[in-house]
Amino acid sequence: MGLGSRRLSAGLVTCALAFVLPLLASCHPARTSEQQRVVFVERLTRPEVRLNWRNISCPLCKAAFAILDVALLSDANEERVAHALGEACVRLHLAEEQVCREIIELFRDDVIRALQESVLWPTEACALLVGPSCGKFDLYAPWNITLPKIPKPPVIPPSPPKHGSPQSRVLFLTDIHWDQDYEPGSAVDCKDPLCCRKNSGSPSWRQRKAGYWGTYGKCDLPIQTVENLLENVARAGPWDWVYWTGDIPAHNVWSQTRNQQLSELTEISRLIQKHLGPNVTVYPAIGNHESTPVNSFPPPFVRGNRSSSWLYDTMAEEWAKWLPEQALKTLRYGGFYTVEVQPGLRVVSLNMNFCARENFWLMVNSTDPANQLQWLIHTLQASENKGEKVHIIGHIPPGLCLGSWNWNYYQIVNRYESTIAGQFFGHTHRDEFQMFYDEATMTRPLGVAFIAPSITTFINLNPGYRVYYVDGNYQGSSRLVLDHETYILNLTEANHTPEPNPKWTLLYRATEAYGLSSMFPSDYDRLIRTFISDDRVFQKFWYFRYKGHVSEPCKEACKTEVLCFLRSGRYDELEQCDHLNGFGGNLVKAVRKTLC
């Protein structure tokens, strides 16, 4: 290969690595500041690796990207890029060789196609890869949705319902991550990004073995735990309805196929219906792991075999038992929908993959993909006109989204604060929340994004699920969350002497644990202030955040980091918190590592 080809390959490899290889990083809980580092960058810049993207000169980088489009017209160059990516992954020890080869093969076609159609300019790509001295990275440039000119109604602060008023009991399920290859007795501490599997090997006498019901470690769930959970929640009913916010498959993202994804989607959907029965309606949302390659959600203008129709059509078929035809229509179009839950209450299910940086298809165009936010505004305005309350559900919390998407979403929540009665998300696998404040002063709390804990154990967690108590079905109901409970399966006890029906226990009830009279945004704002002034209450939250399995307390810089996250429903607030507290950008990088 000549010098020109080597330079070209270096540029292409650099770009593709930036979007593909971080997928090999595990979704560990956010590190404390003493531990914080960006693993991907650290590995690239170690002296023994002898490869540092910062050593690529700015002119060379721009020259490589200037001929990117031409180069990728050749199938031969595509092969060179794929081969070079695989070699880089192996030599940088980002994963075992087989994992490197498989994930590059899985991602190469879609990533290259997205790069071919991208509006990425050389200066933008090189600013991302070489540094700000080489240009300005504004691939996801600011854009604005259009709000109606109808004035915002006067805000009436919520008040607790009268004693004895009806309440709705809502089951919330998220992040199942069922691993078909989970193997009790297999190695917990393997070299792959996901362990406790048939190919993880047998542990030595000093190593841990995968438990029957699940394992603390980088392991997902066996089917028996998923079924046992559903059996238990069925007995714990009745439920008024269910919210289910996605992530069905395991974290073996390097070896998944469309058939496997669809098979798991179908099986879990049918298991939920089987155990909860035909009289309980489930409102699902799409996770980032439903697709393969993971995080790959092309907007609707991408058609043919590369579109998401293979996934959305099957979802529509499986969820037709819960959703009306109009909802299925927008589900097939873009993976989102709205439906009336009860008279006076509407649910909106968003496809949060259209806000995720890891969705490499947004390189092509990140401006309100699928016009989803404009559709949300139309839906909320119609509900405001009718006096309806709205619950928004989705997988990725909005505070972890791309800056422009999140900025517009924050505006929408501000404008429709009297209509949006609840926001419910998952994805982080932890028990937490993010706050929304009025944009004028950023001091008056007006919304809470509840982030529920995962069903999966990944990583080092007990399995868990959430129950919300919502102001019920009566005239004038606020439809706000009044309380919530978290239930867990204690794996230490369950695996000690495995029984056919292990006990799922109440970890905590929020109002009792924190001494709150209600769960309104003002209560959560006061709770954050209590975390600051009373460390005992914060450490209790820290324990609950990890579903009762945490090895050490969170002090000083760690606590500051967590408080930044809780206050930051708007991404730029997180950046400001990062800057003011001297994290040097590591806080933002840590919370943006959203590959769960």
Side-chain angles (χ1 to χ4, degrees):
M1 184 183 296
L3 177 61
S5 296
R6 284 198 300 272
R7 286 180 174 177
L8 172 61
S9 293
L12 300 183
V13 169
T14 300
C15 184
L17 278 171
F19 291 98
V20 178
L21 294 187
L23 294 164
L24 297 175
S26 297
C27 177
H28 291 280
R31 296 171 173 83
T32 63
S33 287
E34 291 79 5
Q35 299 170 312
Q36 279 180 352
R37 60 197 184 276
V38 183
V39 175
F40 179 57
V41 173
E42 182 190 64
R43 284 175 171 169
L44 292 181
T45 56
R46 286 183 307 195
E48 64 269 24
V49 173
R50 297 174 184 238
L51 179 60
N52 185 345
W53 305 126
R54 306 292 178 185
N55 291 334
I56 298 175
S57 71
C58 190
L60 174 59
C61 179
K62 290 180 180 179
F65 278 97
I67 56 175
L68 176 64
D69 290 339
V70 176
L72 287 179
L73 293 177
S74 167
D75 291 339
N77 277 334
E78 290 185 18
E79 291 296 329
R80 290 193 189 101
V81 171
H83 176 75
L85 279 170
E87 288 298 311
C89 178
V90 173
R91 294 184 184 186
L92 293 171
H93 307 292
L94 296 179
E96 292 298 293
E97 181 173 356
Q98 180 181 354
V99 173
C100 284
R101 305 296 185 203
E102 289 182 1
I103 198 166
I104 296 303
E105 186 63 27
L106 179 61
F107 275 79
R108 50 172 272 186
D109 290 345
D110 279 11
V111 170
I112 287 174
R113 186 63 58 201
L115 285 170
Q116 287 175 326
E117 298 184 16
S118 174
V119 294
L120 197 71
W121 287 92
T123 53
E124 294 172 325
C126 294
L128 171 65
L129 300 170
V130 178
S133 62
C134 197
K136 182 181 179 182
F137 176 60
D138 59 356
L139 172 61
Y140 306 108
W143 48 270
N144 294 307
I145 42 81
T146 302
L147 288 167
K149 294 182 179 180
I150 302 170
K152 178 179 176 177
V155 175
I156 302 173
S159 56
K162 295 180 180 178
H163 182 72
S165 297
Q167 292 186 8
S168 297
R169 193 162 175 258
V170 182
L171 175 64
F172 191 93
L173 305 173
T174 191
D175 295 276
I176 295 174
H177 291 294
W178 161 40
D179 189 355
Q180 291 193 62
D181 288 335
Y182 186 97
E183 183 74 25
S186 61
V188 176
D189 304 303
C190 72
K191 295 180 180 180
D192 289 340
L194 184 66
C195 299
C196 302
R197 318 185 79 222
K198 293 176 182 177
N199 60 358
S200 296
S202 300
S204 67
W205 67 275
R206 291 184 176 181
Q207 293 179 315
R208 295 183 298 154
K209 298 180 180 179
Y212 180 77
W213 293 108
T215 305
Y216 301 127
K218 51 180 183 178
C219 306
D220 278 317
L221 277 188
I223 191 62
Q224 59 265 23
T225 309
V226 178
E227 287 214 70
N228 184 260
L229 163 72
L230 294 174
E231 290 167 0
N232 274 271
V233 297
R235 288 194 293 267
W239 306 104
D240 290 285
W241 65 87
V242 180
Y243 291 147
W244 173 30
T245 58
D247 268 16
I248 299 167
H251 287 83
N252 60 320
V253 298
W254 64 92
S255 62
Q256 294 171 338
T257 66
R258 287 185 176 184
N259 286 339
Q260 175 190 333
Q261 303 294 90
L262 296 180
S263 172
E264 293 174 357
L265 165 67
T266 299
E267 183 155 354
I268 295 299
S269 297
R270 294 179 183 181
L271 277 176
I272 291 174
Q273 186 189 32
K274 169 189 170 184
H275 288 289
L276 296 182
N279 297 323
V280 178
T281 302
V282 178
Y283 301 102
I286 298 172
N288 62 304
H289 274 263
E290 263 67 85
S291 184
T292 185
V294 66
N295 300 310
S296 175
F297 288 85
F301 62 75
V302 177
R303 301 183 181 276
N305 189 51
R306 295 191 191 281
S307 75
S308 291
S309 60
W310 65 274
L311 178 62
Y312 298 156
D313 288 347
T314 302
M315 286 177 170
E317 291 174 13
E318 292 302 320
W319 299 347
K321 50 187 170 276
W322 298 317
L323 304 177
E325 183 53 41
Q326 183 57 38
L328 297 176
K329 183 178 179 180
T330 56
L331 176 64
R332 292 188 187 98
Y333 170 73
F336 52 87
Y337 65 86
T338 182
V339 64
E340 184 184 67
V341 178
Q342 294 174 339
L345 176 64
R346 175 169 297 278
V347 64
V348 171
S349 177
L350 295 179
N351 185 347
M352 300 300 287
N353 297 291
F354 289 147
C355 80
R357 183 188 181 102
E358 293 77 24
N359 183 4
F360 49 83
W361 284 102
L362 299 187
M363 288 190 296
V364 179
N365 186 354
S366 65
T367 302
D368 195 10
N371 291 316
Q372 181 178 219
L373 286 185
Q374 208 64 56
W375 168 86
L376 173 62
I377 291 169
H378 175 80
T379 302
L380 291 171
Q381 186 60 57
S383 291
E384 180 181 280
N385 295 342
K386 292 185 287 186
E388 286 181 333
K389 300 297 183 182
V390 173
H391 285 174
I392 295 175
I393 65 173
H395 183 67
I396 301 172
L400 297 179
C401 290
L402 285 167
S404 291
W405 196 100
N406 173 247
W407 182 274
N408 282 290
Y409 180 83
Y410 210 97
Q411 276 193 298
I412 294 170
V413 172
N414 266 256
R415 167 59 183 82
Y416 294 100
E417 65 169 293
S418 299
T419 298
I420 300 172
Q423 302 175 64
F424 306 90
F425 302 92
H427 183 64
T428 70
H429 295 193
R430 298 185 292 272
D431 186 339
E432 46 200 359
F433 60 90
Q434 286 191 301
M435 294 294 301
F436 289 72
Y437 295 89
D438 70 295
E439 288 191 303
T441 66
M442 294 303 292
T443 58
R444 181 177 64 84
L446 56 80
V448 181
F450 294 96
I451 304 173
S454 62
I455 295 173
T456 186
T457 55
F458 193 91
I459 294 172
N460 292 322
L461 300 170
N462 285 308
Y465 68 91
R466 169 66 55 81
V467 178
Y468 289 104
Y469 293 88
V470 176
D471 200 5
N473 188 18
Y474 63 92
Q475 186 68 32
S477 171
S478 70
R479 304 291 186 166
L480 292 166
V481 172
L482 304 176
D483 210 345
H484 65 72
E485 296 173 335
T486 296
Y487 290 82
I488 63 165
L489 177 64
N490 187 314
L491 287 179
T492 303
E493 297 176 1
N495 286 329
H496 182 63
T497 52
E499 299 177 359
N501 189 26
K503 188 177 181 181
W504 292 77
T505 57
L506 174 66
L507 178 65
Y508 78 102
R509 185 174 177 112
T511 53
E512 294 176 0
Y514 297 126
L516 302 175
S517 58
S518 61
M519 304 291 289
F520 300 156
S522 57
D523 296 297
Y524 271 87
D525 182 61
R526 283 193 293 271
L527 183 59
I528 291 177
R529 298 176 192 275
T530 302
F531 289 164
I532 297 171
S533 62
D534 190 339
D535 192 60
R536 291 175 301 174
V537 179
F538 176 79
Q539 296 303 330
K540 181 186 291 187
F541 164 78
W542 181 252
Y543 177 76
F544 294 152
R545 187 175 186 245
Y546 288 97
K547 291 182 283 180
H549 188 255
V550 61
S551 58
E552 58 185 21
C554 177
K555 299 286 188 179
E556 298 172 349
C558 168
K559 182 174 179 179
T560 302
E561 175 189 319
V562 173
L563 293 174
C564 282
F565 177 85
L566 299 180
R567 280 189 55 87
S568 303
R570 194 167 77 180
Y571 181 63
D572 70 319
E573 289 294 301
L574 189 63
E575 289 181 312
Q576 289 181 28
C577 196
D578 191 326
H579 174 72
L580 291 173
N581 289 282
F583 287 109
N586 285 332
L587 169 58
V588 169
K589 291 170 184 174
V591 299
R592 286 297 291 272
K593 190 178 174 186
T594 56
L595 301 179
C596 296

